[in-house]
Amino acid sequence: MTLTKEELTCVPKRYILPPSLRPNGAEYNTCLPIVDLSYLQHPLVRPQIIQEVHLACKKFGFFQVVNHGIPMSVMKDAIDAASEFFNLPTEEKRHLLSSNVHDPVRYGTSLNHVKDKVYFWRDFLKHYANPTSTWLDFWPSNPTAYKKKMGNYTVAAQKLQEELMEVIFESLGLNSNYLHEDIAEGSQVMAVNCYPACPEPDLTLGLPPHTDYGMLTIILQNHLGLQIMDRDEKWHSVPLIEGALIVQLGDQMEVLSNGRYKSVLHRATVNSEKKRISIASLHSLALGKKVRPASELVNEQHILSYKEGSFSDFLDFISGEDIVEAKYIDKLKINS
């Protein structure tokens, strides 16, 4: 955001990606799965919706949801609160700056401005959220409405996540109440992202290709920019659907499903005209809770394929590794 105020006509050298990593060749795909959650309340139609979720998870690790129960006003307020935060002068956000991934609230730029070899065209604010009563006091007090507006959306996203997990577990053939308490008491991290307009969007990215670590991620966005990779290693631009939310499977779900479902590789592109805000609600089991393949999904045809691990293990790992490059290469190997 500081750079954009300088009215640059070109991207600084530290943001320019190698040609092989630049955003080219994505398709605008209008056929990506959309699931209407209102039909889950109809017993005769519910099995069809469960099957739609199963196919979406198996083919893409991704789908969008409509009629999900979160009011448009709550979503708009969250986007507005995020935008107001990033519009603040730098000195009013500086006290939240941190490169420590263990901090409960941290503001920064790129991925980790201390370690990144190439910078990414993004500012971010990350904070823990579940339960909000534990974490709310750590959140920014400026803008004054941030805690209320983001808090309302955060609580709604946590409730939606619990409902989605029941559906996804059912689509795997598990009991819908599988890990019910662990899901309700799990970790929720809000990754609030700002991708300012960029003078040369073809040379850089807002976020590089990566998968999310947790069980699933719910994304609210106000403009186009998210792209996902399918199993044939083709990039697809995710269409913006008014009122819809994006659901992405993470690494923990891949482990729990013993590879039946794969976490989705995705990236964030930027544009030269509009600032994009995205709010990712990242859900995983509690920090120290180990995730392992469900015993019901391990058999002679599907041998045990993953080691157990926790969110805390992941944070320790990314504290000392180039996690993006490593995960991108590993994911391509898995897909192949």
Side-chain angles (χ1 to χ4, degrees):
M1 286 292 286
T2 303
L3 285 174
T4 60
K5 292 174 183 176
E6 297 177 10
E7 299 184 357
L8 300 175
T9 57
C10 59
V11 171
K13 186 176 180 180
R14 65 184 180 275
Y15 288 90
I16 298 176
L17 291 170
S20 62
L21 294 179
R22 293 175 191 171
N24 48 37
E27 302 176 11
Y28 184 78
N29 193 327
T30 57
C31 298
L32 294 173
I34 302 170
V35 178
D36 187 337
L37 296 184
S38 65
Y39 288 118
L40 289 171
Q41 310 306 317
H42 302 278
L44 294 178
V45 186
R46 183 181 174 89
Q48 179 184 329
I49 302 303
I50 299 297
Q51 180 64 9
E52 286 181 13
V53 169
H54 172 73
L55 293 174
C57 290
K58 197 164 183 63
K59 185 175 181 180
F60 293 105
F62 159 97
F63 54 96
Q64 296 205 62
V65 291
V66 295
N67 293 322
H68 43 66
I70 302 180
M72 286 285 292
S73 59
V74 171
M75 296 190 289
K76 181 182 181 302
D77 280 352
I79 292 287
D80 289 346
S83 188
E84 289 168 16
F85 172 82
F86 290 112
N87 284 338
L88 290 172
T90 302
E91 56 269 20
E92 294 186 33
K93 298 174 286 191
R94 196 182 302 277
H95 68 286
L96 296 170
L97 273 172
S98 173
S99 60
N100 184 351
V101 298
H102 294 277
D103 284 348
V105 177
R106 62 189 182 103
Y107 162 64
T109 190
S110 188
L111 287 173
N112 186 326
H113 64 278
V114 174
K115 297 182 179 182
D116 293 344
K117 297 172 185 175
V118 178
Y119 278 30
F120 295 95
W121 202 262
R122 172 187 82 141
D123 288 348
F124 68 86
L125 175 68
K126 291 187 177 181
H127 49 71
Y128 290 115
N130 184 45
T132 52
S133 58
T134 298
W135 303 110
L136 194 66
D137 287 344
F138 293 93
W139 295 7
S141 298
N142 189 15
T144 54
Y146 183 90
K147 290 181 179 180
K148 180 179 180 181
K149 290 181 176 180
M150 193 61 69
N152 288 340
Y153 175 73
T154 293
V155 171
Q158 171 66 22
K159 181 175 182 292
L160 174 60
Q161 177 259 169
E162 293 174 24
E163 295 169 357
L164 287 168
M165 291 300 294
E166 291 182 2
V167 173
I168 293 171
F169 285 151
E170 195 171 334
S171 77
L172 281 166
L174 300 170
N175 189 301
S176 61
N177 288 323
Y178 184 76
L179 295 181
H180 178 73
E181 288 187 9
D182 288 333
I183 297 298
E185 298 171 2
S187 169
Q188 179 186 19
V189 177
M190 304 303 291
V192 186
N193 301 302
C194 175
Y195 306 98
C198 176
E200 294 180 293
D202 294 337
L203 298 182
T204 188
L205 283 168
L207 277 176
H210 67 285
T211 58
D212 295 335
Y213 175 75
M215 282 286 190
L216 64 78
T217 302
I218 299 171
I219 298 176
L220 167 64
Q221 60 176 354
N222 65 344
H223 293 299
L224 290 171
L226 177 66
Q227 295 182 349
I228 64 168
M229 180 180 277
D230 66 18
R231 303 299 180 231
D232 296 321
E233 298 180 15
K234 293 180 180 177
W235 286 106
H236 299 268
S237 291
V238 177
L240 184 69
I241 300 171
E242 186 176 8
L245 290 168
I246 295 162
V247 180
Q248 296 181 164
L249 302 189
D251 297 341
Q252 283 192 345
M253 182 61 75
E254 181 170 333
V255 170
L256 186 142
S257 71
N258 199 31
R260 309 287 180 90
Y261 296 162
K262 298 290 196 298
S263 54
V264 60
L265 195 67
H266 56 286
R267 66 186 183 185
T269 59
V270 292
N271 69 83
S272 60
E273 298 175 359
K274 296 178 179 179
K275 176 179 72 177
R276 174 174 173 257
I277 298 292
S278 80
I279 302 172
S281 184
L282 299 117
H283 300 268
S284 62
L285 297 192
L287 275 173
K289 191 79 175 181
K290 300 284 187 180
V291 179
R292 59 181 62 85
S295 58
E296 296 90 336
L297 302 178
V298 178
N299 52 44
E300 292 182 0
Q301 288 75 36
H302 302 89
I303 62 171
L304 184 69
S305 302
Y306 296 83
K307 295 179 180 179
E308 67 177 14
S310 70
F311 187 25
S312 182
D313 295 335
F314 171 73
L315 291 178
D316 291 340
F317 177 63
I318 64 172
S319 294
E321 297 287 338
D322 185 349
I323 187 65
V324 171
E325 183 176 345
K327 289 185 75 176
Y328 182 37
I329 293 170
D330 288 347
K331 178 56 65 173
L332 291 180
K333 287 178 180 177
I334 290 170
N335 286 350
S336 297

